[in-house]
């Protein structure tokens, strides 16, 4: 398996884990995946929990519940240390 395939697999795993949180909250699969994509794109943002919590709050979840769900999504969306190491190694190889 190439580094790109492995990285894609890790991203897919995170994407599906976050989507599952949205699906368990009652969102259809397509909507859950769309929200999960947004969560993954915000994973490196400094204000990620607040931004993801705002997504939950916009769908009618109470503030405390929105924050709790956002924290779960952010944890699941974060790249693992192994993903970061593979990314660094690929950058070194490209140079």
């Amino acid at each position: 398996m190439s580094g790109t395939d492995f990285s894609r697999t890790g991203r897919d795993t995170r994407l599906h884990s976050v989507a599952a949180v949205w699906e368990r909250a009652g969102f259809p699969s397509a909507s859950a995946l769309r929200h999960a994509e947004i969560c993954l794109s915000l994973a490196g943002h400094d204000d990620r929990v607040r931004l993801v919590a705002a997504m939950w709050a916009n769908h009618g979840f109470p503030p405390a519940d929105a924050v709790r769900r956002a924290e779960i999504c952010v944890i699941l969306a974060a790249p693992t240390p192994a993903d970061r190491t593979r990314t660094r190694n690929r950058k070194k190889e490209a140079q």
Side-chain angles (χ1 to χ4, degrees), residues 7-94:
S7 176
R8 186 177 306 129
T9 301
R11 184 186 180 289
D12 289 348
T13 299
R14 292 191 312 270
L15 179 67
H16 290 291
S17 295
V18 175
V21 175
W22 289 91
E23 285 178 352
R24 281 190 295 262
F27 288 80
S29 295
S31 180
L33 279 171
R34 189 171 49 251
H35 284 84
E37 284 280 359
I38 294 167
C39 290
L40 262 64
S41 70
L42 293 172
H45 195 280
D46 290 341
D47 214 10
R48 60 191 164 269
V49 173
R50 185 186 64 78
L51 294 170
V52 176
M55 288 172 37
W56 285 100
N58 285 340
H59 289 290
F61 288 84
D65 190 30
V67 169
R68 183 179 58 81
R69 290 172 185 273
E71 289 171 341
I72 292 168
C73 288
V74 167
I75 289 167
L76 293 172
T80 64
D83 291 337
R84 290 186 203 115
T85 300
R86 280 189 292 280
T87 300
R88 257 184 272 138
N89 289 341
R90 279 197 309 266
K91 286 180 183 176
K92 286 179 186 176
E93 290 172 2

